């Protein structure tokens, strides 16, 4: 969208845009004699100053933190703590373990390509034992939160995600997991 | 609080998220241009912060460190998914009925919001951190891993680019 380089762009009157930008942001600078009489320069300077005014207004605009944010962050953090390490193989000569985080990365990477998912998050966790602590012997569960892409039917998308994630973890790590899918939102914009 | 969070204290980390959530979310919102992507990026930034708390060196302010994590993440998203030439309006754009001046003022701000998402990622990041978040030049340079003169150059080019994008509306 930028045809000419900034340093080369000139107004029809010959003034350089780069210099006007410099001047508009420097409160101490005073307009030159040429600019005082040049309508083009005046217009550009006014516009540049108007943009700075807009930036100041945008900076002052209150932004409301989505209510869900803190909760969803803590949910994922708790999930990563609970998932910790998953044992994928136990042999007579030692065990192989994989971190929950490693699996998250792969699931999200693969999950992006499943049709109908606009966005996808995975959180592995252990089923909890009776005292509410992660049970190392219980099967792993992967919670998948996704944003669907309109108009793909959500049950079919969820089923495709469950199938794909189960296959992936079976192939990759020999893990047999349950996959709980939550559709948190649907995106209706064209992508 | 950071020290407690580093030992795995979830309650302490939750306090940090509450305290710094607004700043992290604001940066993501300005860089990505819509609430859904911003919420997701802010969430991701905090989860990464949690995983990397042990790499946080006390000599950097926590805000600077969090700004760096969320900015890097948003820049990567923007590079991976270059903004469509013209995205559909990010927020409900239908201006509430009101005096014409108010409507016009909102449309101008909307135009600026859109323009921010169309600037180059590096320019947008410098502008958002400096002009919207009020960071010092040195802090912006630190966050973006560059020098103060480079930051000033980016800000300069960002302004010229905003002017080019927004000169049509008058």
């Amino acid at each position: 969208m930028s045809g000419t380089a900034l340093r080369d762009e000139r107004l029809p009157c010959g003034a350089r845009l780069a210099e006007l930008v410099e001047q508009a942001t420097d409160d101490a600078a005073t307009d030159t004699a040429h600019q005082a009489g040049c309508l083009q320069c005046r217009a550009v300077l006014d516009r540049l100053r108007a943009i700075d005014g807009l930036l100041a207004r945008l900076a002052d605009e209150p932004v409301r933190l989505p209510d869900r944010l803190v909760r969803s962050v803590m949910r994922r953090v708790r999930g990563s703590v609970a998932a910790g390490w998953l044992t994928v193989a136990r042999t007579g000569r030692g065990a192989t373990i994989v971190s929950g985080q490693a699996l998250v990365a792969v699931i999200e990477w693969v999950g992006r390509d499943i049709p109908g998912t606009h966005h996808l998050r995975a959180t592995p966790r252990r089923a909890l034992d009776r005292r509410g602590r992660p049970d190392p012997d219980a099967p792993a569960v992967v919670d998948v939160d996704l944003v669907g892409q309109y108009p793909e039917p959500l049950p079919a998308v969820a089923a495709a995600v469950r199938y794909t994630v189960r296959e992936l973890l079976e192939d990759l790590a020999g893990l047999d997991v349950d996959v709980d899918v939550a559709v948190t939102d649907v995106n209706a914009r064209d992508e | 609080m950071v020290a407690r969070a580093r030992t795995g204290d979830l309650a302490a980390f939750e306090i940090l998220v509450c305290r710094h959530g607004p700043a992290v979310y604001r940066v993501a919102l300005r860089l990505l241009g819509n609430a859904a992507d911003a919420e997701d990026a802010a969430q991701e930034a905090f989860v990464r912060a949690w995983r990397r708390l042990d790499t946080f060196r006390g000599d950097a302010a926590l805000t600077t460190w969090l700004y760096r994590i969320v900015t890097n993440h948003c820049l990567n998203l923007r590079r991976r998914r270059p903004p469509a030439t013209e995205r559909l309006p990010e927020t409900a754009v239908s201006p509430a009925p009101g005096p014409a001046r108010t409507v016009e003022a909102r449309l101008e701000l909307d135009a600026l919001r859109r323009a921010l998402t169309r600037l180059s990622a590096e320019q947008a990041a410098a502008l958002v951190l400096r002009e919207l978040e009020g960071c010092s030049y040195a802090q912006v340079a630190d966050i973006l891993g560059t020098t103060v003169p480079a930051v000033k150059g980016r800000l300069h080019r960002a302004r010229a680019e905003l002017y080019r994008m927004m000169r049509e509306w008058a």
Side-chain angles (χ1 to χ4, degrees):
Chain A
M1 83 193 53
S2 51
T4 39
L6 167 61
R7 63 175 187 285
D8 298 330
E9 178 156 344
R10 284 176 186 273
L11 274 54
C13 70
R16 290 174 55 218
L17 178 59
E19 276 166 19
L20 292 174
V21 171
E22 190 102 32
Q23 191 178 330
T25 46
D26 184 356
D27 293 334
T30 50
D31 299 354
T32 64
H34 162 77
Q35 288 162 359
C38 174
L39 286 177
Q40 289 163 347
C41 284
R42 294 238 55 81
V44 174
L45 282 170
D46 285 350
R47 168 63 16 122
L48 283 165
R49 287 174 183 140
I51 288 172
D52 270 357
L54 277 180
L55 280 168
R57 274 176 42 209
L58 194 57
D60 288 342
E61 191 183 63
V63 170
R64 225 177 125 262
L65 188 69
D67 297 330
R68 293 177 299 195
L69 185 65
V70 175
R71 246 180 309 139
S72 47
V73 167
M74 295 315 294
R75 181 165 173 236
R76 285 184 60 197
V77 166
R78 284 198 189 90
S80 72
V81 172
W85 298 87
L86 302 173
T87 305
V88 297
R90 211 185 290 275
T91 71
R93 291 177 176 267
T96 303
I97 60 176
V98 175
S99 77
Q101 282 318 311
L103 300 179
V104 165
V106 185
I107 292 169
E108 291 179 357
W109 191 68
V110 170
R112 278 211 303 260
D113 294 333
I114 300 173
T117 59
H118 173 67
H119 205 94
L120 182 143
R121 289 264 168 244
T123 311
R125 65 181 160 85
R126 281 279 178 208
L128 302 179
D129 66 15
R130 265 187 232 152
R131 277 177 292 184
R133 293 178 314 194
D135 179 354
D137 296 321
V141 181
V142 177
D143 286 319
V144 174
D145 290 354
L146 65 85
V147 176
Q149 176 65 48
Y150 179 83
E152 296 285 334
L154 299 173
V157 173
V161 166
R162 183 173 297 109
Y163 176 81
T164 307
V165 171
R166 283 181 56 88
E167 289 284 298
L168 175 72
L169 295 189
E170 169 80 52
D171 291 348
L172 186 71
L175 284 172
D176 181 20
V177 297
D178 287 347
V179 179
D180 285 339
V181 179
V183 179
T184 58
D185 207 347
V186 175
N187 178 56
R189 290 182 301 167
D190 287 329
E191 286 290 304
Chain B
M1 205 55 69
V2 180
R4 280 180 49 198
R6 277 167 99 159
T7 63
D9 182 338
L10 287 172
F13 186 71
E14 186 162 357
I15 291 171
L16 294 182
V17 177
C18 291
R19 196 177 288 166
H20 298 278
V24 167
Y25 175 70
R26 270 197 317 266
V27 168
L29 182 65
R30 298 309 180 211
L31 287 176
L32 301 176
N34 73 80
D37 288 348
E39 184 178 340
D40 212 75
Q43 189 191 124
E44 183 62 29
F46 276 115
V47 172
R48 288 181 187 197
W50 165 258
R51 282 183 219 147
R52 292 187 216 155
L53 263 182
D54 54 329
T55 69
F56 171 69
R57 303 195 318 272
D59 55 341
L62 184 69
T63 35
T64 305
W65 187 68
L66 289 171
Y67 273 140
R68 187 180 305 138
I69 293 176
V70 70
T71 306
N72 282 341
H73 181 57
C74 290
L75 294 190
N76 283 336
L77 287 177
R78 284 181 51 147
R79 291 191 193 107
R80 200 186 303 156
R81 209 189 291 180
T85 41
E86 186 60 20
R87 284 210 148 185
L88 291 179
E90 54 262 22
T91 45
V93 175
S94 57
R101 286 189 56 132
T102 322
V103 173
E104 194 182 320
R106 285 198 41 179
L107 291 178
E108 283 177 356
L109 270 191
D110 283 341
L112 177 62
R113 273 189 270 267
R114 266 197 306 278
L116 283 177
T117 66
R118 285 156 57 199
L119 283 178
S120 85
E122 287 73 16
Q123 290 174 11
L127 202 66
V128 166
L129 291 168
R130 169 71 194 157
E131 303 300 338
L132 301 184
E133 293 299 309
C135 297
S136 68
Y137 288 120
Q139 210 182 348
V140 178
D142 189 15
I143 294 165
L144 298 180
T146 180
T147 62
V148 170
V151 168
K152 289 185 175 172
R154 279 185 205 178
L155 288 169
H156 192 88
R157 287 191 296 279
R159 279 201 163 75
E161 215 50 67
L162 282 183
Y163 164 75
R164 285 166 157 174
M165 288 176 192
M166 297 176 74
R167 68 178 134 200
E168 284 81 17
W169 63 240

